[in-house]
Amino acid sequence: MLESGKKRLKIGFVSLGCPKNLVDTEVMMGTLAARGHELTADAGEADAIVVNTCSFIDPAKQESVDAILEMAEFKKTGRAKKLIVAGCLVERFRGDIRKEIPEVDAVVGTNEIERIADVCEGIGDAGGGAAPYLYHELTPRVLATPRHYAYIKINEGCDHPCTFCVIPQFRGRFRSRQPESVLAEARALLAQGVREINLIGQDTTAYGEDLGLKDGLASLLAQLAQIEAPHGKWIRFLYCYPNRITGRLLETLAEHDSLVKYIDMPLQHASARILKRMKRGASGEIFLRLLEKIRKAVPGVAIRTSMIVGFPGETEQDFAELCQFVEAAEFDRLGVFGYSDEETSESYHLDGKVDRRTIYHRKRRLMALQRKISRRRNRALVGRELPVLIEGPSPDSGLVWQARLETQAPDIDGVCYVGDPGPRAPRAGQFRRMRITKAHDYDLVGDLTDDPPADPPAAATNPFRIIHGAVGRPHAHQ
């Protein structure tokens, strides 16, 4: 709680980037709430505004700078006296932020987020030089997701040497939470009414290696599947590394109904030559064998991946090989990124840079190819009756309800739109059954076929909300 003589502050948040960043925002919000401060969704009413930034690629950096400048206006028009910048942008440009944007009063790096209350209450920065940080089950946290799903960060940092990636530079070396900590947090979330838990980390498939655990992720998933949840639960894990998809992991995924049949495995490319330059290894042929193994071991599994086009040295032949691979692989979900030439990445020094126009057109061509695959796979679902998790009224239209299949991860994949529910009115957080009646490129339409369950409503909606929401995530149609 607040120390004697300190003022209770209203604090607003802008959270940008991936779910891993969103968890950091939730931890900062929890730290401030535990100290006795008030969280507000109205930037005009905030005494202090925190912008949690992303700087993975150029568009993310620009979005972060734009958000900082937008929030800086509230120091002129609102009551805000402090503007604090946190997150990945700080780790890369700590010295430049205060110099180039004088409206910023303090910066907080990714390993300094537990100092956020001190920074908001005082003046100056978090100080820098903090030891690698990873929250645990007792860390105060305020969820900013809808009430029926949440993220749990099971590890932080990365030891992979990918030449295009700068994440290890500001997230640090790989480190895992203890299994007991993750299980305790999952039990608490499920008890609060959360229906879907999404496990995240830079590489979830490496979970527990630093703790000396063999098949750490598979073991953790098996234990999570055993947690009682009378009204149902989904457990999903994101961000797999292809050479860590073990037989034990696939067996565990297939064995438990509550483990959703979904693999998110960024492959980045299919040309062996480009993958070697990326320091990823493997090839399209190796990946096709892996995909066959996954689909055989886990019937009905949906596989999502992401690709980078325009990596230095990528020729038309390399790109054609990538397109042929995507056609053969028939991914359920695919995100495409244009290569971003980050100054501190190893790939920045590679020759054979591809011009922006070529990158743009290659991205469009690959997504057009995937759009046809996605449409075909979605049409194969028409007529089937499948379980869905009700999300609530669609943000696009209050007249339509929105839901997701277990093969549709929140915020990055398509959704299901519920037709006229009639007497079967849904409620956010319910597990229901839906018959698919129509398929679009990425989204599905259907009708509920079961009666509303007798389960109680999910936990009351959390009144604390970040100002902008977590944005900048790679949707399937981008």
Side-chain angles (χ1 to χ4, degrees):
M1 298 301 293
L2 281 174
E3 295 179 10
S4 177
K6 288 193 175 180
K7 178 186 175 185
R8 186 171 189 249
L9 302 173
K10 285 187 175 182
I11 302 174
F13 274 82
V14 178
S15 189
L16 306 172
C18 66
K20 296 181 286 291
N21 226 35
L22 181 61
V23 170
D24 289 348
T25 294
E26 293 173 337
V27 168
M28 286 190 283
M29 291 168 67
T31 301
L32 288 160
R35 188 74 73 91
H37 297 296
E38 179 182 351
L39 304 175
T40 177
D42 186 347
E45 290 296 314
D47 298 305
I49 299 173
V50 181
V51 182
N52 193 15
T53 59
C54 177
S55 66
F56 181 48
I57 55 178
D58 279 337
K61 286 188 290 186
Q62 187 59 54
E63 182 181 40
S64 293
V65 171
D66 291 344
I68 294 167
L69 294 176
E70 181 183 350
M71 291 302 107
E73 290 298 308
F74 287 98
K75 292 182 68 175
K76 303 174 184 176
T77 61
R79 58 187 279 177
K81 298 295 189 293
K82 294 179 183 177
L83 176 60
I84 299 156
V85 176
C88 299
L89 196 72
V90 173
E91 294 295 341
R92 297 189 66 187
F93 306 104
R94 181 182 292 267
D96 296 333
I97 293 172
R98 295 287 297 276
K99 179 180 178 181
E100 300 296 331
I101 311 177
E103 295 91 342
V104 174
D105 298 290
V107 294
V108 177
T110 56
N111 291 311
E112 301 158 358
I113 61 175
E114 60 184 346
R115 301 180 187 173
I116 187 64
D118 292 334
V119 173
C120 287
E121 293 170 2
I123 56 173
D125 299 339
Y133 176 76
L134 181 56
Y135 83 105
H136 53 79
E137 79 279 11
L138 299 179
T139 304
R141 183 179 167 198
V142 172
L143 297 185
T145 49
R147 61 191 183 187
H148 54 275
Y149 76 85
Y151 297 100
I152 294 181
K153 191 186 293 190
I154 63 173
N155 52 254
E156 180 64 280
C158 185
D159 293 340
H160 293 300
C162 307
T163 58
F164 56 82
C165 186
V166 295
I167 288 175
Q169 297 171 21
F170 47 82
R171 289 287 180 177
R173 298 296 300 271
F174 181 86
R175 53 204 184 273
S176 303
R177 289 173 61 182
Q178 292 290 335
E180 295 78 10
S181 175
V182 176
L183 292 167
E185 185 176 15
R187 290 190 191 97
L189 289 171
L190 292 168
Q192 293 169 20
V194 168
R195 302 290 192 257
E196 175 185 8
I197 289 176
N198 298 276
L199 307 180
I200 58 174
Q202 305 302 332
D203 174 8
T204 54
T205 41
Y207 172 77
E209 288 185 0
D210 55 319
L211 303 177
L213 302 177
K214 181 176 174 58
D215 287 310
L217 179 59
S219 175
L220 179 66
L221 289 169
Q223 293 177 79
L224 288 167
Q226 300 300 322
I227 297 176
E228 289 191 13
H231 307 297
K233 69 177 185 288
W234 282 351
I235 306 293
R236 183 191 313 275
F237 60 98
L238 301 170
Y239 317 121
C240 306
Y241 206 80
N243 66 0
R244 284 189 165 91
I245 303 291
T246 65
R248 169 78 185 284
L249 178 60
L250 296 176
E251 289 170 8
T252 303
L253 189 61
E255 182 181 351
H256 300 280
D257 291 341
S258 61
L259 303 181
V260 300
K261 311 308 182 253
Y262 182 97
I263 296 282
D264 174 30
M265 178 176 61
L267 297 179
Q268 312 302 5
H269 216 278
S271 163
R273 191 179 70 86
I274 296 300
L275 286 165
K276 183 177 181 180
R277 284 171 72 89
M278 289 179 169
K279 289 192 177 177
R280 298 276 298 186
S283 66
E285 183 179 348
I286 292 173
F287 290 154
L288 286 175
R289 291 200 295 269
L290 174 59
L291 295 172
E292 182 181 8
K293 175 184 175 181
I294 293 172
R295 286 166 172 155
K296 183 177 180 180
V298 188
V301 67
I303 302 175
R304 175 184 174 82
T305 194
S306 61
M307 299 294 180
I308 297 174
V309 295
F311 188 82
E314 183 188 60
T315 64
E316 277 297 331
Q317 181 178 346
D318 293 316
F319 179 68
E321 187 175 340
L322 174 58
C323 291
Q324 291 165 7
F325 168 74
V326 168
E327 283 187 305
E330 292 206 329
F331 294 103
D332 299 88
R333 321 272 183 252
L334 174 71
V336 182
F337 293 88
Y339 170 73
S340 182
D341 207 23
E342 300 300 313
E343 300 92 333
T344 57
S345 69
E346 189 175 337
S347 59
Y348 183 78
H349 304 286
L350 294 177
D351 58 4
K353 296 295 170 62
V354 180
D355 65 88
R356 302 308 303 173
R357 182 178 179 84
T358 299
I359 291 175
Y360 171 78
H361 285 293
R362 286 179 182 173
K363 180 178 177 180
R364 290 196 60 178
R365 285 160 59 190
L366 189 57
M367 282 313 306
L369 177 62
Q370 175 61 27
R371 190 176 298 112
K372 295 177 182 177
I373 296 170
S374 178
R375 186 187 309 130
R376 183 169 65 250
R377 296 186 73 84
N378 273 352
R379 285 176 177 172
L381 297 175
V382 173
R384 293 189 60 187
E385 187 176 302
L386 300 165
V388 294
L389 177 60
I390 300 296
E391 297 268 72
S394 169
D396 300 321
S397 171
L399 302 176
V400 180
W401 279 71
Q402 189 169 296
R404 282 185 291 110
L405 301 173
E406 67 173 283
T407 55
Q408 294 172 321
D411 286 326
I412 57 174
D413 295 328
V415 298
C416 295
Y417 293 106
V418 181
D420 182 9
R424 300 183 175 92
R427 189 172 61 227
Q430 287 180 337
F431 285 110
R432 302 288 297 270
R433 293 195 67 80
M434 170 185 280
R435 180 178 294 112
I436 308 301
T437 59
K438 187 182 297 184
H440 298 292
D441 291 350
Y442 301 107
D443 302 321
L444 297 160
V445 179
D447 299 318
L448 299 181
T449 59
D450 60 348
D451 294 321
D455 61 318
T461 302
N462 195 314
F464 303 127
R465 283 292 177 266
I466 47 182
I467 295 170
H468 279 183
V471 296
R473 302 175 187 171
H475 288 262
H477 57 273
Q478 289 186 337

